[in-house]
């Protein structure tokens, strides 16, 4: 039996990941804002929550994030950027995961493989940006990719078998994306969870610091 920690366990994808892990017999510890007060925009709350956890965990998933915060919709153009809305995106989508990653060293085994997966988004790819728009969300996801990359380098110094990656789950039909799906094909959270776990299961330490999509393909920075 593997032990897993899922942060953001009450969200659409997080909840599905928890269910999929338990269905295959893994022991899962859940953390969320709604149940445990794990608010990634509140450093003190993150610190309190992380201090209550005892590892080691074979898998840690950070499944938090938001596209729309305080009713601020993604910008259609750079001309629509609002400073407060951009700061809100960075606080939740970039700073929050960084606050988690700074405390994961003590939660991981040193004698075997472990995985830390942070949910990102393909729109955070600078190399894949062909449409513009969604400036704040794109930038916050590009930032979290850099945070994950940096954390992976530092983690490797003490945990040689650890894998720390950013994952793009694809377009998933959740409350998070409901207003923005349009004609884009989307999968259920349950399908997304199975896809992500399949990618996670196939990762090795040489993949640490990478950015992968739901099919296991590398996404350009």
């Amino acid at each position: 039996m593997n032990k897993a920690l899922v942060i953001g366990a009450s969200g659409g994808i997080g909840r599905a990941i928890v269910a999929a892990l338990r269905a295959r017999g893994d022991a899962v510890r859940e953390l969320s804002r709604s149940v445990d007060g794990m608010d990634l925009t509140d450093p003190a709350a993150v610190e309190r929550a992380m201090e209550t956890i005892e590892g080691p965990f074979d898998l840690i998933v950070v499944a938090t994030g938001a596209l729309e915060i305080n009713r601020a919709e993604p910008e259609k153009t750079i001309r629509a950027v609002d400073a407060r809305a951009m700061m809100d995106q960075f606080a939740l989508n970039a700073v929050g995961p960084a606050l988690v990653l700074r405390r994961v060293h003590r939660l991981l085994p040193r004698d075997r493989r472990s995985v830390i997966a942070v949910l990102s988004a393909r729109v955070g790819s600078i190399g894949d940006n062909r449409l513009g728009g969604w400036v704040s969300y794109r930038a916050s996801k590009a930032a979290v990719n850099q945070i994950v990359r940096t954390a992976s380098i530092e983690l490797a110094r003490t945990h040689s078998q650890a894998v720390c990656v950013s994952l793009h789950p694809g377009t998933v039909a959740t409350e998070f994306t409901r207003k923005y799906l349009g004609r884009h094909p989307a999968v259920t959270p349950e399908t997304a969870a199975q896809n992500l776990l399949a990618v996670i299961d196939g990762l090795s330490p040489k993949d640490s610091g990478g950015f992968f999509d739901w099919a296991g393909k590398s996404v350009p920075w």
Side-chain angles (χ1 to χ4, degrees):
M1 177 187 295
N2 288 329
K3 288 183 62 179
L5 170 65
V6 179
I7 298 171
S10 63
I13 298 176
R15 189 165 52 246
I17 290 173
V18 169
L21 287 168
R22 286 188 172 143
R24 68 186 197 180
D26 292 347
V28 185
R29 174 77 159 86
E30 303 175 45
L31 282 177
S32 67
R33 182 179 62 178
S34 60
V35 177
D36 308 285
M38 178 69 158
D39 182 353
L40 264 64
T41 65
D42 181 349
V46 175
E47 194 70 10
R48 285 194 300 271
M50 295 299 288
E51 285 179 349
T52 67
I53 302 169
E54 293 298 330
F57 293 99
D58 303 286
L59 171 64
I60 298 175
V61 180
V62 182
T64 56
L67 178 57
E68 184 177 309
I69 302 173
N70 295 328
R71 299 184 179 180
E73 298 183 352
E75 310 95 343
K76 294 182 179 179
T77 169
I78 190 77
R79 295 187 296 275
V81 163
D82 174 81
R84 181 69 264 167
M86 178 172 274
M87 292 298 291
D88 288 344
Q89 285 288 332
F90 270 79
L92 179 58
N93 293 328
V95 179
L99 295 176
V100 172
L101 288 170
R102 74 174 179 170
R103 295 300 184 206
V104 298
H105 291 72
R106 73 173 186 85
L107 300 176
L108 299 172
R110 297 196 184 202
D111 60 347
R112 63 183 186 275
R113 174 185 175 272
S114 60
V115 178
I116 307 166
V118 177
L119 295 196
S120 183
R122 187 180 295 275
V123 295
S125 166
I126 296 172
D128 195 48
N129 183 355
R130 297 178 177 85
L131 298 175
W134 289 30
V135 183
S136 298
Y137 183 69
R138 284 185 188 275
S140 70
K141 290 301 187 179
V144 82
N145 289 342
Q146 178 68 285
I147 290 164
V148 168
R149 176 75 171 183
T150 301
S152 74
I153 294 169
E154 297 183 9
L155 187 61
R157 296 168 186 161
T158 55
H159 296 69
S160 62
Q161 298 183 62
V163 184
C164 182
V165 294
S166 295
L167 295 182
H168 167 58
T171 303
V172 185
T174 65
E175 185 61 26
F176 177 88
T177 61
R178 178 178 56 82
K179 290 172 57 177
Y180 304 98
L181 289 178
R183 298 180 181 179
H184 296 286
V187 300
T188 65
E190 293 73 22
T191 297
Q194 294 294 342
N195 291 339
L196 290 169
L197 291 178
V199 174
I200 288 169
D201 289 344
L203 294 171
S204 70
K206 68 179 177 59
D207 298 310
S208 194
F211 182 18
F212 302 94
D213 70 8
W214 59 271
K217 297 179 180 179
S218 182
V219 180
W221 296 117

